[in-house]
Amino acid sequence: MSISDSITRFKNDLPDHVELVAVSKTKPISDLQEAYDAGQRVFGENKIQEMTQKWEQLPKDIKWHMIGHVQTNKVKYMAPYVSLVHAVDRIKLLKEIDKQARNNDRIIEVLIQVKIAEEDSKFGMEEAAVIALFENNTLDAFPNVRVKGLMGMATFTDDKVQIGNEFKKLSYLYERFRESAMLSILSCGMSGDYDIAIAHGSTMIRVGSAIFGARNYK
Ligand SMILES: *Cc1c(COP(=O)(O)O)cnc(C)c1O
């Protein structure tokens, strides 16, 4: 299926409350332009330098989501334009995003990445740390950051029950703080598991290969 056909199919099939982030990492500008021409306006990248180059070349009404792990010293390069940072997993990063947002006279929206996978994944905050973050009013110290929700990645496995259980854990945590912390985004689900994620309350899926085809990693 072509890129534009995939975009059209997702637009037709997704429930209204679920937003599609087209994950375009490693893909050429021409592929992003094709998705754009099919109506896609939200793109996800996992490297700040690559995202910034694409931002410079493509139409300015695109919303750029940083979905990958963020190095603190690179926040400044995306601070002028990034629309949502999905994988905030430490206070030090919140602090730097707050500082760079202030330097750019804006508020930057972020999600807290929660470690939900059983496999030993490197990134994401432990559930207890996320609870403490919301209950201790930690976020008050970062007025130029707005936490809009949670993000998680399930274990890479064919076991749909396990994937479902991991997403369930994430969505319980989201529901627990949704009203008090005014959250509205639950980012979970990728090409292989977005249907399971949506069944467990996802409001934002991050889809790469199902739109753009397999990636050639260098
Ligand atoms: C690459 C990536 C995706 C998309 O993966 P696909 O399996 O190609 O859909 C989603 N989320 C994150 C954090 C990624 O790095």
Side-chain angles (χ1 to χ4, degrees):
M1 206 189 301
S2 70
I3 292 169
S4 54
D5 286 348
S6 302
I7 294 292
T8 306
R9 190 183 52 116
F10 272 105
K11 284 202 182 308
N12 290 336
D13 291 355
L14 284 181
D16 284 344
H17 69 279
V18 178
E19 177 142 48
L20 172 67
V21 179
V23 176
S24 48
K25 61 192 186 193
T26 78
K27 296 297 176 181
I29 291 285
S30 55
D31 283 7
L32 284 77
Q33 185 69 53
E34 184 178 344
Y36 180 90
D37 292 340
Q40 183 63 24
R41 291 293 180 273
V42 183
F43 291 86
E45 292 281 335
N46 71 340
K47 294 210 167 68
I48 291 173
Q49 194 183 353
E50 181 178 341
M51 181 168 79
T52 301
Q53 284 170 357
K54 288 172 172 171
W55 166 67
E56 284 166 351
Q57 295 178 58
L58 283 159
K60 289 296 173 280
D61 61 342
I62 289 177
K63 289 188 174 133
W64 293 98
H65 288 199
M66 173 43 56
I67 61 168
H69 181 72
V70 176
Q71 286 173 266
T72 313
N73 62 353
K74 294 198 175 147
V75 171
K76 56 178 177 285
Y77 302 115
M78 64 174 173
Y81 70 90
V82 71
S83 167
L84 184 67
V85 183
H86 285 236
V88 173
D89 61 354
R90 56 202 192 279
I91 304 290
K92 196 178 153 206
L93 181 56
L94 273 176
K95 190 173 173 183
E96 179 64 14
I97 294 172
D98 182 60
K99 178 180 154 191
Q100 297 300 339
R102 194 166 327 106
N103 286 347
N104 285 276
D105 212 2
R106 60 187 297 242
I107 287 170
I108 295 182
E109 298 188 339
V110 308
L111 307 177
I112 302 298
Q113 182 177 8
V114 189
K115 191 168 167 174
I116 53 167
E118 256 171 48
E119 69 187 356
D120 204 21
S121 57
K122 282 178 287 181
F123 303 124
M125 286 176 84
E126 298 288 346
E127 196 175 315
V130 178
I131 292 169
L133 186 78
F134 288 122
E135 290 189 342
N136 300 343
N137 299 322
T138 313
L139 300 170
D140 293 354
F142 311 116
N144 287 65
V145 174
R146 188 127 315 138
V147 174
K148 298 289 288 182
L150 304 179
M151 178 270 209
M153 290 172 84
T155 301
F156 188 71
T157 170
D158 289 333
D159 184 346
K160 289 188 191 303
V161 175
Q162 183 180 349
I163 294 171
N165 284 337
E166 293 175 358
F167 286 146
K168 210 181 291 177
K169 203 160 51 172
L170 183 66
S171 98
Y172 279 146
L173 192 59
Y174 174 73
E175 284 303 327
R176 177 165 168 183
F177 293 103
R178 189 167 56 84
E179 284 190 17
S180 59
M182 293 188 292
L183 308 179
S184 58
I185 301 174
L186 181 58
S187 166
C188 59
M190 322 196 332
S191 293
D193 58 16
Y194 65 83
D195 48 342
I196 307 174
I198 291 170
H200 290 289
S202 172
T203 70
M204 185 174 275
I205 59 174
R206 309 177 309 268
V207 179
S209 44
I211 295 170
F212 295 104
R215 285 176 294 275
N216 300 313
Y217 274 108
K218 309 135 215 178

